[in-house]
Amino acid sequence: MDSDRARACIWISGRVQGVAYRAFAQQEALQHALDGGVRNLDDGRVAVEVEGEKGAIDALIARLRAGPRMARVDHLEIRWEPPRNQDAGFHIWT
């Protein structure tokens, strides 16, 4: 297994639902060749599960902090995990 491969679970809070945040996250993840997905949570946050090269995940996290134009990101919570090598592509989950 590639030692540079990592997995992160990220929870984003703020004004992140109804502002195209999931589509933004998907576009950014695909540009960085990352696997996983994004979903809205009932509590108003957005959750991202992402796997791939550690540097690419770090770059995605920087973009998630900024968010799309209409969003306001107040906080990111990040939990690093061992990679699972299971997801192919990056999806918007419902």
Side-chain angles (χ1 to χ4, degrees):
M1 180 168 51
D2 184 357
S3 63
D4 288 340
R5 192 163 175 87
R7 179 180 183 85
C9 296
I10 307 159
W11 295 271
I12 304 100
S13 58
R15 184 172 180 236
V16 292
Q17 291 191 12
V19 292
Y21 196 94
R22 289 179 300 162
F24 170 84
Q26 181 184 42
Q27 178 182 5
E28 293 294 327
L30 291 172
Q31 287 180 358
H32 289 93
L34 295 167
D35 298 320
V38 58
R39 69 172 50 95
N40 283 339
L41 298 176
D42 291 341
D43 64 6
R45 295 179 300 164
V46 169
V48 175
E49 294 179 29
V50 63
E51 189 168 319
E53 182 201 315
K54 171 76 166 64
I57 294 175
D58 288 336
L60 174 66
I61 289 170
R63 295 296 297 139
L64 293 177
R65 284 189 198 283
R69 184 174 59 87
M70 297 297 291
R72 185 194 75 246
V73 176
D74 293 336
H75 181 72
L76 263 73
E77 179 183 343
I78 303 164
R79 183 180 70 220
W80 294 95
E81 299 181 345
R84 298 180 188 167
N85 299 310
Q86 66 184 31
D87 297 312
F90 194 91
H91 309 279
I92 296 176
W93 297 320
T94 56

